[in-house]
Amino acid sequence: MLRPQVITAGSHGASARSTLFGGYRAGLLPSCHRAGGSLLRRARPAPQGGRVVGGRKVGRGCGGAVYCASPGEVGTAVARTAAESPTKVKAVVAVKLTVGGMLTNVGLSRGLDDITDLLGKSLYIELVSAELDPGMHFCNLGLSKGYAYLPSQTPSGLQRLREEELQTLRGDGQGERKRFERVYDYDVYNDLGQPDSSEDLARPVLGGHQHPYPRRCRTGRPSTKKDPHSEKRSNSVYVPRDESFSEVKGVTFSAKTVRSVVHALLPSLETAIVDPKLGFPLFTSIDTLFNEGLDLPPQQQHGFFQSVLPRLVKAVSEGKNNVLLFETPALLERDKFSWFRDEEFSRQALAGVNPFSIQLVTEFPFVSKLDPDIYGPPESAITKEIIEREMKGMMTLEEAIEGKRLFMIDYHDLLLPYVNKIRELPGNTLYGSRTIFFLTDGGTLMPIAIELTRPKSPTRPQWKQVFTHTYDATGTWLWRLAKLHVAAHDAGYHQLVVHWLRTHCCTEPYIIAANRHLSVMHPIHRLLRPHFRYTMEINALAREALINAGGTIEMCFFPGKYAAELSSVAYDKLWRFDQQSLPADLISRGMAVEDPTAEHGLRLTIEDYPFAADGLLIWSTLKQWVEDYVTHYYADADAIKSDGELLAWWEEIRTEGHADKKDEPWWPKLETPADLVGILTTIIWVTSGHHAAVNFGQYHYGGYFPNRPTLDTVYRANHKPPVRTSCGLSGSTSEHRAPRSLANA
């Protein structure tokens, strides 16, 4: 819809300025646009006597409603100025309707603002500077392209506004943030628990000396009554409006959808399954989820399941009852029992949903670093004799280590401190685990030994046992069950550490600092913005329904109520920014070595390592792209050192966003263009390639939950259903009979 309008800038008063760069969701320009030293700025006229809140004009008597611009794009603009007369600007505006049409956003929170839209007073333009460039043509300014300026190159008419905008975005650190605001500030993770509701729902504050953690965006909600250090929860979590989902994104991924699944789908499954605690008595019962479906109670809303689970639900037939039929995971379609086999178990360590945990064995014997007075003798039960026996005499242990033929997934020291705590949770057990793999002559991995350890407790001594391949039935099932325990450990570590912590939680400080210190005119802000898009909104939803007390992660994964706390331990002991780049990560785990003659400058320790091979292609492309971009704006080290916005951004990431690690010596310095290329490529890799590798294969590998069990559960020998493994994708369980020796452990 095109609708020309003539508006006098002075008619609304100079105080009616909006924020300089508006906001993406508000439909304002994503960058400033130069017109011979002048800036055309888009805003909505505000009533006289209004006040400025968060850089926006707010009218009196409107309940704090914000005057945001309607979604749209400025196509062309013609500006004329007169030295001593009111300035009038004629603009042709192309208005793009929202997904739901003209009235989709009308509501109590924005009501007067939307009514103003309908009355036709929805745009005003202010000339920031009257200085003209004689060679500048005012028609067809190409506003959608925008311009990027380093701070030292900013046109004089924009310098003050650039600084004011950043000051507005930083806020003052006071008060509760409102949904219409654009304020970025830091806080600890103090909103995961609900101590006022129940003592069992109280959770420690993550962030600080006791539980180190990255910082989140501050919301400023009041404290709980029982714990002054914890923040009250609410049905919606504040994120700056520029970070909110677009309408299209919101339709497909919204808090409403998440709540609908939790409140409607899971109770229906509980009704369909006679006793959820018993789970599925046979593997064929699990198969019915994919080939026959479950009878569910009728739903009042037609097509409910298709709308809330479009990627998981294959069909819903409606009759007396609904039939819920899940999509068959690709893993199950290819080979129904592939997950049972050692070859597939090893393949997923290299090409599955968590290819980040496997590492080269460089030292033997294996010794725990935990306090032996608390956890028992530190020596591993995996001996030289066991390893050489399982290698079938092909070589000695020393030769295998020298030849880089032994690999390990080690969750021993990370999990052992939580074993006794988690065993106190109803129906749960846990072990520390070490899994050893041997690289065969054919270039494939084979698991050869699994060690499960339970620390000593006030009533029991330390217990540890090594499981290997055997030819008797009991030993074969013990080996398979040991693999299931390792798979459960890997599933929890993947979700809490490799996925949530590394690609979501640790990224939020980069986003906050970027908005506080990098103007949207800054070229680095423009480079990073697409990779940060929607992350803060998704993180807020995670705090609302996934990692919170009683949320999906706690309900479905083995750490239970200790899940978020366990991710804090991993952050404290394992996370380093300098090892988040793909090459550094591979080298630190011994999965690659530097080799100038090899492609990408790295030689893989295991040639058939699909994640690394494909990932290095992406990494190299990203690095080249970032290098070309950076060198276009920064010719030398002096250009870096003179960019105050850039230096403040990197300084605040370290000292505020990751404050608990601010004194670590491994933080990269930012002094040269090469330093900046390394930092930016690492951040972009984590938010793109790394995240894609650990996110998009989750249903492929976890949809058939015996392959990726999420609960590490063993019933004692006097209970008939001995082993139960569960996956949060279905909220259901599978069970097997366990040999007595493992069930008693």
Side-chain angles (χ1 to χ4, degrees), residues 400-720:
I401 294 177
E402 178 70 21
K404 298 182 178 180
R405 303 286 290 270
L406 290 180
F407 298 83
M408 176 168 60
I409 293 179
D410 187 1
Y411 294 131
H412 184 277
D413 284 12
L414 179 67
L415 298 184
L416 210 62
Y418 284 87
V419 167
N420 290 331
K421 295 179 183 179
I422 290 174
R423 280 174 167 248
E424 295 176 358
L425 301 177
N428 275 24
T429 194
L430 183 64
Y431 304 93
S433 67
R434 292 187 180 100
T435 306
I436 309 301
F437 299 86
F438 176 65
L439 183 62
T440 68
D441 290 341
T444 60
L445 283 181
M446 289 295 290
I448 60 174
I450 294 174
E451 178 184 27
L452 299 180
T453 304
R454 186 201 67 225
K456 68 178 184 179
S457 70
T459 59
R460 286 184 172 187
Q462 184 193 63
W463 176 92
K464 61 180 67 173
Q465 185 169 336
V466 179
F467 300 89
T468 60
H469 303 86
T470 62
Y471 296 99
D472 62 281
T474 298
T476 297
W477 277 102
L478 280 171
W479 170 247
R480 289 170 176 168
L481 289 172
K483 288 194 297 180
L484 282 176
H485 283 289
V486 172
H489 303 166
D490 194 66
Y493 182 82
H494 157 258
Q495 201 63 265
L496 284 168
V497 179
V498 178
H499 188 188
W500 158 251
L501 176 66
R502 290 177 63 168
T503 71
H504 284 270
C505 185
C506 289
T507 295
E508 187 152 335
Y510 312 151
I511 305 172
I512 298 173
N515 283 278
R516 286 167 58 87
H517 292 288
L518 298 178
S519 165
V520 293
M521 283 188 288
H522 199 292
I524 302 306
H525 186 285
R526 295 171 66 86
L527 174 70
L528 291 174
R529 176 66 186 177
H531 303 284
F532 291 161
R533 190 166 173 82
Y534 303 140
T535 298
M536 289 182 68
E537 175 93 344
I538 292 173
N539 289 2
L541 289 174
R543 304 207 313 275
E544 184 180 347
L546 295 178
I547 66 168
N548 60 300
T552 302
I553 297 296
E554 289 193 0
M555 288 193 299
C556 299
F557 288 82
F558 73 83
K561 63 188 290 186
Y562 302 103
E565 183 181 332
L566 185 61
S567 71
S568 168
V569 174
Y571 175 74
D572 182 33
K573 296 182 179 299
L574 303 175
W575 189 86
R576 297 175 46 155
F577 181 88
D578 64 328
Q579 291 183 356
Q580 299 308 297
S581 74
L582 179 58
D585 170 66
L586 293 174
I587 292 171
S588 70
R589 292 188 283 121
M591 302 304 293
V593 294
E594 293 187 60
D595 183 352
T597 65
E599 188 178 14
H600 313 301
L602 290 181
R603 177 167 47 83
L604 296 180
T605 309
I606 299 177
E607 185 176 348
D608 187 15
Y609 189 3
F611 159 73
D614 295 346
L616 285 172
L617 289 171
I618 298 172
W619 169 268
S620 298
T621 302
L622 287 174
K623 185 176 181 182
Q624 185 60 58
W625 172 48
V626 172
E627 185 174 342
D628 292 344
Y629 188 91
V630 167
T631 54
H632 177 76
Y633 289 97
Y634 299 94
D636 50 34
D638 289 339
I640 296 288
K641 295 175 183 177
S642 64
D643 189 338
E645 288 185 7
L646 184 70
L647 297 178
W649 167 70
W650 182 238
E651 174 73 11
E652 193 168 274
I653 285 174
R654 295 181 290 112
T655 60
E656 297 290 338
H658 288 275
D660 299 326
K661 290 181 175 283
K662 64 181 179 180
D663 297 322
E664 296 289 352
W666 40 254
W667 283 104
K669 294 181 179 179
L670 180 52
E671 297 176 345
T672 67
D675 295 338
L676 181 58
V677 169
I679 291 168
L680 294 176
T681 308
T682 296
I683 291 175
I684 292 173
W685 159 255
V686 169
T687 58
S688 58
H690 179 167
H691 180 264
V694 302
N695 179 69
F696 294 112
Q698 291 184 87
Y699 189 71
H700 174 86
Y701 289 104
Y704 186 68
F705 42 88
N707 180 64
R708 296 287 292 177
T710 58
L711 283 179
D712 197 6
T713 306
V714 175
Y715 283 79
R716 300 295 175 255
N718 58 344
H719 290 77
K720 290 191 176 179

Side-chain angles (χ1 to χ4, degrees), residues 70-375:
S70 300
E73 298 178 6
V74 175
T76 60
V78 178
R80 293 175 180 159
T81 61
E84 299 184 5
S85 62
T87 299
K88 294 185 178 181
V89 177
K90 183 177 181 180
V92 178
V93 182
V95 179
K96 186 176 182 180
L97 287 180
T98 60
V99 173
M102 182 180 297
L103 299 179
T104 188
N105 286 325
V106 176
L108 292 178
S109 63
R110 301 184 62 230
L112 293 179
D113 194 31
D114 291 299
I115 292 172
T116 304
D117 274 347
L118 296 177
L119 295 178
K121 293 290 186 179
S122 60
L123 177 74
Y124 106 137
I125 296 176
E126 176 187 352
L127 294 181
V128 175
S129 173
E131 298 176 5
L132 302 179
D133 182 347
M136 187 69 186
H137 297 285
F138 284 98
C139 295
N140 298 320
L141 294 177
L143 296 181
S144 61
K145 295 181 180 178
Y147 288 84
Y149 298 105
L150 293 175
S152 61
Q153 299 170 347
T154 308
S156 59
L158 304 181
Q159 289 176 351
R160 176 181 58 81
L161 295 172
R162 180 173 183 150
E163 295 169 2
E164 288 179 355
E165 171 75 356
L166 289 173
Q167 187 61 43
T168 296
L169 293 174
R170 294 182 196 124
D172 58 7
Q174 303 296 318
E176 182 175 355
R177 298 270 70 89
K178 306 302 181 184
R179 60 174 294 187
F180 54 77
E181 293 182 311
R182 298 173 58 237
V183 176
Y184 297 78
D185 202 359
Y186 300 96
D187 206 347
V188 293
Y189 280 74
N190 60 356
D191 62 342
L192 302 182
Q194 291 181 280
D196 289 349
S197 299
S198 167
E199 183 177 344
D200 192 53
L201 293 178
R203 296 293 181 269
V205 173
L206 303 184
H209 178 72
Q210 188 172 3
H211 298 289
Y213 218 54
R215 299 304 190 256
R216 64 171 177 89
C217 186
R218 180 184 176 276
T219 55
R221 291 174 294 188
S223 300
T224 60
K225 295 178 181 179
K226 293 185 178 180
D227 181 4
H229 300 293
S230 294
E231 187 176 271
K232 283 185 178 180
R233 294 173 57 80
S234 61
N235 291 332
S236 62
V237 180
Y238 164 81
V239 293
R241 70 171 186 267
D242 291 357
E243 309 300 327
S244 298
F245 288 159
S246 67
E247 289 191 306
V248 173
K249 180 72 173 179
V251 167
T252 58
F253 188 175
S254 67
K256 182 178 179 181
T257 296
V258 172
R259 284 193 292 268
S260 296
V261 174
V262 173
H263 293 302
L265 177 57
L266 295 186
S268 297
L269 285 173
E270 290 178 359
T271 303
I273 300 171
V274 177
D275 187 348
K277 293 183 180 180
L278 293 180
F280 296 95
L282 302 169
F283 283 109
T284 53
S285 301
I286 303 174
D287 296 342
T288 61
L289 289 173
F290 311 109
N291 53 37
E292 296 180 18
L294 290 174
D295 288 334
L296 300 176
Q299 296 295 322
Q300 294 181 354
Q301 180 180 349
H302 179 77
F304 166 77
F305 290 110
Q306 291 102 322
S307 64
V308 298
L309 291 176
R311 296 180 61 188
L312 306 184
V313 177
K314 180 163 55 179
V316 177
S317 62
E318 296 187 6
K320 182 177 180 181
N321 282 348
N322 290 325
V323 176
L324 176 64
L325 192 64
F326 282 87
E327 285 282 357
T328 303
L331 180 75
L332 192 62
E333 281 188 327
R334 289 200 303 263
D335 186 346
K336 184 176 180 180
F337 292 104
S338 63
W339 66 277
F340 232 36
R341 301 187 178 95
D342 292 344
E343 294 84 355
E344 180 63 17
F345 180 78
S346 299
R347 188 191 73 83
Q348 290 186 28
L350 297 172
V353 74
N354 177 24
F356 284 88
S357 289
I358 191 165
Q359 58 184 305
L360 179 70
V361 172
T362 58
E363 295 179 346
F364 191 86
F366 308 125
V367 179
S368 171
K369 296 179 181 179
L370 299 174
D371 187 346
D373 292 336
I374 299 175
Y375 300 104

